[in-house]
Amino acid sequence: MSPQHRRRRIPDATVARLPVYLQLLNERMAAGVTNLSSEDIAALAAVNAAKVRKDLSYIGTYGTRGVGYDVEYLVYQISRELGLDHEWSVVIVGAGNLGQALGGYGGFNVRGYPVAGMFDIDETKVDTVVGGVRVKHLDDLPKVVAQQQVSIGVVATPAEAAQDAADRLVRAGVTSILNFASVVLSVPLGVTVRTVDLGVELQILSYHEQRRVAAATGLRPVADEAPSGRSA
Amino acid sequence: MSPQHRRRRIPDATVARLPVYLQLLNERMAAGVTNLSSEDIAALAAVNAAKVRKDLSYIGTYGTRGVGYDVEYLVYQISRELGLDHEWSVVIVGAGNLGQALGGYGGFNVRGYPVAGMFDIDETKVDTVVGGVRVKHLDDLPKVVAQQQVSIGVVATPAEAAQDAADRLVRAGVTSILNFASVVLSVPLGVTVRTVDLGVELQILSYHEQRRVAAATGLRPVADEAPSGRSA
DNA sequence: CGACGCTCGTGCGCACATTCACAAAGTCGT
DNA sequence: ACGACTTTGTGAATGTGCGCACGAGCGTCG
Ligand SMILES: NC(=O)c1ccc[n+]([C@@H]2O[C@H](COP(=O)([O-])OP(=O)(O)OC[C@H]3O[C@@H](n4cnc5c(N)ncnc54)[C@H](O)[C@@H]3O)[C@@H](O)[C@H]2O)c1
Ligand SMILES: NC(=O)c1ccc[n+]([C@@H]2O[C@H](COP(=O)([O-])OP(=O)(O)OC[C@H]3O[C@@H](n4cnc5c(N)ncnc54)[C@H](O)[C@@H]3O)[C@@H](O)[C@H]2O)c1
């Protein structure tokens, strides 16, 4: 493909860690810390220091040898790289149990993802107010997405309705979807989907629990550790 | 019980996909399907067919050449491998916005993770009933964990309290933690932590959105697609 | 009952990710 | 101004995961 000036592509694994660094840098900054070494950051993020340096090197060389990284500047650079220099409006589809928790969750606004609208098909849910946002009928989705320039949609419907919800979001113009339903969504190329499935998470945990039990039962001298989540 | 089957270590990437296969196999089984090829499963899971076969090969050779996989048998085998042949009680720490949504969520019981207790420090939350479970004071955590053989804990407290909650869970004997707070938890070796951070997910999405915008602006000849979540 | 077609299981090479290890580049004290 | 010390940035080594491609086995049909 295009050889040279192709914008340094940041590896997926790194993209997934940058928000974690950002979070903890913000936290330290709030605590008055102005400088941190890769070693410090690594300790806080429970990862290898070399990994931290390599990750940060993808977005530029903002460290100072012998000193470390200026926290404020680094926060700025990571934020910019993640596209946090402006707000991204989101819409939430499904105003049930989870949808209401999400709508009432302050974190969206704080982090720069204002909730532009919540949608449901259940008439009893429509026009209720959740977290200061009035629930609208799903049919109003296209209008809101267009008017408010929404590019991120959250799917919080039952699994059976999730694909329909995703289809509507895509049709309305949304190009990123955060899906909480236990289904694999099918979307056209060019649309990014991330699924957060509680059941999957629990099953991954119970897999490890099960191994642990098997090991303890003395069947095998298993000794490995630190799987997918973080340990320390 | 555990078969004499020499238990190889299953790659993390595979462990993370098995629950997805399981979910969709259950769904197809409910629809009356008795047999599926790796190609079929791959289409449903939006992954490569060879990957499906390799994943399944880690848990045994349960397919039939020329035919495919018997859905029911495969469901049984995956379930066994994930430790779903018995129930895993969970406790939820933090009965706020999210904790209540989780407590009221039927999915826990359905999937074999009965909620053995919900805990909070806020006296106004204690003794309220969420999803049929009475919220108890955090001080009662050790007793419940011990009595009900709980090995999985869910952290749904504010970020500031999450480390404390994790410490208490670990001290009580919990060895797997599902963390919803935006912090990197520090736990002793031998304890598995998985963090689900809404902010991280949104930031990963906005990173991709941002690239997309940059690409559209014609500044860079970016052409790649299908990042970390699933597309199709 | 043998040939054929289908699909599994897996060896192999490639790409991506992680970690090590060290020169380069800075700071700090004298 | 210089040497001792610290910490970055990155090549190279190692580890992990992915997907092609193909042999092996099973079922079917003539
Ligand atoms: N509640 C939780 O704590 C929790 C946790 C993890 C995952 N989830 C998942 O999140 C999803 C929602 O869970 P919930 O507990 O909020 O369920 P819920 O039944 O309480 O809410 C679902 C809402 O979606 C609405 N809905 C149904 N079909 C729709 C459609 N086609 N378009 C728009 N809205 C529609 C319903 O009217 C309802 O208000 C489920 O897939 C569930 O598995 C929930
Ligand atoms: N609400 C959401 O939709 C949502 C979504 C994603 C992530 N989260 C995260 O989940 C966590 C909880 O969010 P929330 O909206 O439920 O907050 P919340 O404030 O509604 O609830 C927090 C609860 O934790 C309790 N608590 C505080 N300190 C505690 C302690 N030391 N031990 C036990 N309980 C304690 C509080 O009394 C309160 O009931 C936060 O970290 C948040 O970032 C929430």
Side-chain angles (χ1 to χ4, degrees), chain A residues 93-99 120-122 125 138 156-159 161 164 180-181 198, chain B residues 101-102 105:
Chain A
V93 179
N97 228 335
L98 181 63
D120 209 300
I121 41 162
D122 184 350
K125 295 272 168 54
L138 192 53
T157 66
D164 175 55
F180 286 97
L198 184 64
Chain B
L102 292 172
Y105 176 53

Side-chain angles (χ1 to χ4, degrees), chain B residues 4-5 25 63 82 86 126 131-132 134 144 150 170 197 211 215 220 222:
Chain B
Q4 76 296 347
H5 190 259
L25 289 170
L82 293 176
H86 70 85
V126 173
R134 182 190 304 273
V144 173
V150 176
V170 170
D197 187 330
R211 288 193 98 230
R220 304 159 194 153
V222 175

Side-chain angles (χ1 to χ4, degrees), chain A residues 5 18 35 45 63 87 90 104 112 117 131 142 186 189-190 193 213:
Chain A
H5 53 64
L18 288 178
N35 188 283
E87 298 197 324
V90 308
S186 160
L189 222 92
V193 176
V213 172

Side-chain angles (χ1 to χ4, degrees), chain A residues 97-108 111 180, chain B residues 92-102 119-125 135-138 155-166 168 179-183 196-199:
Chain A
N97 228 335
L98 181 63
Q100 286 175 35
L102 292 172
Y105 176 54
F108 275 103
R111 290 160 179 269
F180 286 97
Chain B
I92 301 174
V93 179
N97 227 335
L98 180 63
Q100 286 175 35
L102 292 172
F119 301 87
D120 209 300
I121 40 161
D122 184 349
E123 294 293 353
T124 68
K125 295 272 168 53
V135 177
K136 301 192 187 68
H137 192 277
L138 191 54
V155 173
T157 67
E160 313 81 62
Q163 183 61 56
D164 175 55
R168 285 169 180 260
N179 171 41
F180 286 97
S182 297
V183 283
V196 174
D197 187 330
L198 184 63

